[in-house]
Amino acid sequence: MAQIDIGEAATAGVNLVFRKPLVVLTWGLVVVAYVVLLLVLFGGGMIAMIGPLLAAGAKPAPAQIIGMIGGFIGFYFLFLIGMLVLGAMVSAAAIRAELEPDNVGFAYLRLGRQELWLIAVNFVQGLLLGVIQIVLSIPLTILSVAMTVGIAGGGTEHDGGALAVMVLVRFLGQLVVIGVTFWVWIRLSLGPVLSYRDREFRLFESWAMTKGHALQMFLAMLLVVLIGIALYVVVSIIGAAGVFGFIAATPALRNPQALFQGPPGVWLSALGPIIVFVALLMVVVFGVINALTWTTVARMYKQLNPDADIASNFA
């Protein structure tokens, strides 16, 4: 019976990062470039409306409020649509890099039938996981409200202990919600690979395929999460050091109150180097996390299907 090799699966993405760093960075660049484009399209108008209000200390007119809300809704809508499409493209690219390493093209990126099925699968999977989180959070919320009411009506003698218990219960409850959601994701995680392979919607077939392997898959993905956390820590340290360095080297940034009272062009000119620096760090983070996650998932699919003729499936 095929088994999951936890160490091999968890390090598949790491090996890809070191073998093809430019490919991985291209995945991150595609995502970050789209977000930056949206910020340029919508952020400039928002700043142009907010800047004068902050400088004059005036209250915004209803038309300005509607304009800002409309700009935010437009930004958020395009952000969701773009992330759905680009998320499918970069996850498919990581799957392709694992299953078809010679089919490189432009950083393994495509937008075809397989990616369209991944869009559908990712949307349904995200919707399902969101519903599960909401359902699991309902009893936790009810319990928290009941405990809050109990504390409020019980006087002050034991409020400190009761509050500590409530916080602990809330924390443990959130861990349960996260754990169950992660477990369901594990059970459905091969759905995108199956859908990509067969060019049709195959999300729920993953449930049967992962039966009996959930623990090994959980441990493999847990290692991926720990590697990702280590990456975030390193990037956060570098990012904080870089931002503080830019602030120290830029006199205008040392007096933010005076800076934001000026025109938007002055803001962007002063903050430009920081924005570019943070964007470059996000390129690394998004690219590497995508590689770690989906290369590991694709490797686990291969381990559970060692005799599968992948080349014919992707022909």
Side-chain angles (χ1 to χ4, degrees):
M1 180 180 178
Q3 294 292 331
I4 298 292
D5 186 326
I6 297 172
E8 181 190 10
T11 57
V14 177
N15 293 332
L16 178 64
V17 170
F18 283 104
R19 285 188 292 108
K20 297 182 179 292
L22 293 181
V23 166
V24 173
L25 291 178
T26 299
W27 300 341
L29 180 61
V30 168
V31 176
V32 173
Y34 179 74
V35 175
V36 171
L37 176 62
L38 290 182
L39 290 175
V40 170
L41 292 176
F42 290 91
M46 297 286 287
I47 292 175
M49 287 187 290
I50 295 173
L53 295 175
L54 293 177
K59 293 182 179 180
Q64 292 174 310
I65 295 177
I66 293 174
M68 287 186 287
I69 293 175
F72 176 78
I73 292 175
F75 170 85
Y76 191 62
F77 175 76
L78 291 178
F79 175 80
L80 290 180
I81 297 298
M83 289 300 100
L84 190 61
V85 174
L86 294 177
M89 289 178 61
V90 296
S91 60
I95 294 171
R96 184 177 288 112
E98 175 63 24
L99 300 183
E100 270 195 309
D102 295 329
N103 189 14
V104 181
F106 176 67
Y108 297 100
L109 290 167
R110 312 282 193 280
L111 182 57
R113 184 178 174 186
Q114 291 162 311
E115 285 73 20
L116 293 178
W117 280 116
L118 256 69
I119 291 174
V121 168
N122 291 342
F123 177 78
V124 174
Q125 186 183 48
L127 189 64
L128 178 61
L129 294 177
V131 170
I132 290 174
Q133 285 185 316
I134 292 173
V135 172
L136 292 175
S137 297
I138 290 175
L140 179 60
T141 301
I142 294 174
L143 180 60
S144 298
V145 171
M147 294 182 70
T148 302
V149 172
I151 292 173
T156 60
E157 183 178 355
H158 302 292
D159 281 0
L163 182 60
V165 171
M166 186 183 71
V167 172
L168 178 61
V169 169
R170 184 76 184 183
F171 174 74
L172 294 177
Q174 287 295 337
L175 286 182
V176 171
V177 172
I178 293 172
V180 172
T181 304
F182 190 40
W183 178 77
V184 174
W185 182 87
I186 289 292
R187 295 299 305 272
L188 298 175
S189 62
L190 298 185
V193 182
L194 292 171
S195 301
Y196 177 79
R197 180 198 68 182
D198 296 338
R199 296 175 171 85
E200 61 183 43
F201 191 90
R202 296 291 304 276
L203 176 63
F204 300 107
E205 284 79 357
S206 173
W207 195 271
M209 182 175 291
T210 57
K211 183 178 181 180
H213 304 286
L215 179 59
Q216 291 85 356
M217 296 179 72
F218 174 84
L219 293 175
M221 293 309 302
L222 181 60
L223 287 176
V224 170
V225 170
L226 294 176
I227 295 172
I229 291 174
L231 173 66
Y232 276 121
V233 170
V234 172
V235 170
S236 297
I237 293 173
I238 295 174
V243 169
F244 283 120
F246 281 121
I247 292 175
T250 308
L253 296 177
R254 299 176 205 161
N255 188 356
Q257 184 175 2
L259 174 65
F260 292 117
Q261 287 179 349
V266 175
W267 301 10
L268 296 176
S269 177
L271 295 174
I274 294 180
I275 294 173
V276 172
F277 176 68
V278 172
L280 291 176
L281 292 179
M282 290 300 98
V283 167
V284 175
V285 170
F286 287 138
V288 173
I289 293 300
N290 181 70
L292 293 177
T293 302
W294 290 107
T295 305
T296 295
V297 172
R299 179 64 60 88
M300 290 190 293
Y301 165 80
K302 288 173 61 177
Q303 290 176 348
L304 293 178
N305 298 271
D307 299 325
D309 187 357
I310 297 172
S312 63
N313 287 328
F314 288 87

